[in-house]
Amino acid sequence: MKRSTSIATSSRVQLCQHNRLSMTRPHDQDDAWRRLDPLTRRAIILGAASTSVVTAGGGLAGVLSPPARRLSATPVLPPRMRGLNLELSPGSLSPAIARELAGWGINTVRINFSTDVASHLAQEGKVERPTTSDPLAPYRRALAMLKLFTAECARLGVGVILGASAIYGRDKVNLEDSTGASFRAGVGRNLMQLWTAMAQELRDDPAIIAYDVLGEPNYTMRREVDGAVWYEQIMPEAIRRIRSINPHIWIAVMPWPWGYAHRYSSMRVIDDPAILYSFHFYSPHSYTHQGIGNLPRGPRYPGKVSEHPGSQVQDWNKAALAQAMQPAFDFARRNNVRVMTGEFGVTRWASGRDRWIADMLSVLEDNGVDWMFHTYNAWNGWNPTFAPDAPGVSEYPTLFGGVNSPGHQTLLRYWRQNLLA
């Protein structure tokens, strides 16, 4: 253990010295990251130098005691976050799942945090109301499961991005209300209460590297132009609430509406050095979401597909994917900020799925973008390790469904780059 203690001390020093890694240009960041030894890098991924020391063979050489509090500095991110989204459902955030993630080489996981009812954790199906004395009442079971999961992630060196998703009140938003009043009433107040309480509750969790303010912000199906309620009221207030409690955590935000990549053409830079700019990407939607709801199965990739039913048919291939995401890439380069594809995925029965996954990953990697695939857990319709005709499963004790598909192999190949010295 003497050697392990020495490594931990050295890592803390190097963590302070390299806390600027995440603020530098991508090529400078990569060079600085490569100069660190593998053990230090694994410690830095935690945002604090502690927990497991890993031997060259991949085994645990010893477990160090974590510090009492997170270091007073912005968590240092790896030069590329390559990870996976996880949805909440019974057993979905188990320590065993964390170990499976680490074994695949995943260095970051993004969690869509929701109420106990939305996550099917409350069998009685009754939503608890948040109160002044217990603002996290709607999330108590999800929070208990989260803490067990992040404790294992901290031990393994897997960073966690915690995102607000199906929060209390969101299901009451009237998507026909283009004024934003319903969104402001149903989401705004509850979002502030959630992040104020969560920032307090999880401030010292060494695995959590970022909070994602709200997944796919939207309050109307009818207008895309006016996002003032989001940009001028809800998003800045949420950031202020978080910052008043945790000045150092990374905060992920996305453009209104729905976090579309093309909306970065009008997105403004936030005056905060620890912001992750995120977008979700499922284009063409008629292809990636086929078989969900009323969308028919059948579209192929590459091929001629409409983005949405009724929209113009166009050729979709690797070049079209890159063009659709270009506004986000341009935003990152123009402003020297970090952009993350917080979600992207395709149903497992879509013809050409493996090619779509490979093309997406190639484009994201070529543009130096962090990414989180959606997804392997909860409902298995997105999971490329299940056969196209496998029965639907909403709860599964492992991420792997038994099929080592080309799409899964491509993801593994990129995830394992996180482990390279």
Side-chain angles (χ1 to χ4, degrees), residues 362-414:
S362 178
V363 171
L364 295 174
E365 288 284 326
D366 287 347
N367 285 277
V369 174
D370 301 307
W371 53 265
M372 311 289 145
F373 182 76
H374 187 86
T375 182
Y376 276 63
N377 81 320
W379 180 63
N380 68 351
W382 303 105
N383 190 331
T385 68
F386 281 82
D389 59 351
V393 174
S394 60
E395 296 175 25
Y396 202 68
T398 178
L399 301 176
F400 187 64
V403 177
N404 192 19
S405 68
H408 175 62
Q409 292 176 44
T410 301
L411 284 158
L412 279 179
R413 186 169 67 252
Y414 283 107

Side-chain angles (χ1 to χ4, degrees), residues 140-348:
R140 281 296 166 193
R141 297 177 191 181
L143 185 59
M145 187 169 65
L146 173 70
K147 288 181 176 180
L148 290 174
F149 179 77
T150 60
E152 189 70 357
C153 285
R155 192 179 73 81
L156 296 167
V158 176
V160 174
I161 297 174
L162 184 65
S165 183
I167 67 169
Y168 183 86
R170 194 169 190 180
D171 61 332
K172 305 300 183 185
V173 173
N174 176 14
L175 293 180
E176 291 300 312
D177 176 13
S178 61
T179 69
S182 175
F183 182 77
R184 187 168 53 246
V187 170
R189 179 178 63 254
N190 296 307
L191 188 67
M192 304 314 152
Q193 190 175 43
L194 170 68
W195 280 125
T196 300
M198 290 292 272
Q200 289 278 10
E201 184 82 14
L202 302 172
R203 176 177 176 136
D204 303 325
D205 191 315
I208 297 178
I209 57 177
Y211 298 144
D212 194 336
V213 172
L214 184 67
E216 300 184 0
N218 61 86
Y219 53 77
T220 176
M221 300 292 287
R222 294 190 294 164
R223 293 174 62 193
E224 286 196 4
V225 177
D226 183 11
V229 170
W230 172 244
Y231 286 124
E232 298 174 13
Q233 299 177 35
I234 293 179
M235 183 175 70
E237 177 63 13
I239 293 173
R240 189 191 69 78
R241 295 284 185 107
I242 293 169
R243 282 284 175 253
S244 69
I245 297 164
N246 191 330
H248 307 295
I249 195 77
W250 285 90
I251 298 176
V253 299
M254 58 178 58
W256 185 93
W258 305 98
Y260 290 138
H262 72 265
R263 298 297 293 188
Y264 274 99
S265 60
S266 58
M267 180 78 168
R268 295 180 180 179
V269 177
I270 297 170
D271 185 17
D272 186 313
I275 296 290
L276 290 168
Y277 296 86
S278 179
F279 67 91
H280 291 182
F281 193 84
Y282 292 95
S283 289
H285 192 270
S286 295
Y287 169 75
T288 63
H289 279 62
Q290 61 181 276
I292 299 177
N294 295 324
L295 288 179
R297 300 192 187 194
R300 305 172 64 87
Y301 176 88
K304 293 183 178 296
V305 187
S306 62
E307 175 66 62
H308 296 285
S311 63
Q312 184 177 356
V313 173
Q314 66 178 88
D315 284 317
W316 280 96
N317 49 33
K318 183 178 177 180
L321 296 177
Q323 183 178 12
M325 291 182 278
Q326 196 62 47
F329 303 153
D330 291 342
F331 179 87
R333 294 187 181 100
R334 183 169 63 249
N335 299 293
N336 193 28
V337 295
R338 193 144 180 172
V339 168
M340 170 180 75
T341 311
E343 288 185 17
F344 69 102
V346 56
T347 52
R348 56 180 163 84

Side-chain angles (χ1 to χ4, degrees), residues 42 97-106 156 158 412 416 419:
R42 194 168 182 84
I97 293 293
R99 291 190 290 272
E100 195 166 11
L101 292 167
W104 286 357
I106 288 170
L156 296 167
V158 176
L412 279 179
R416 285 169 179 162
L419 303 177

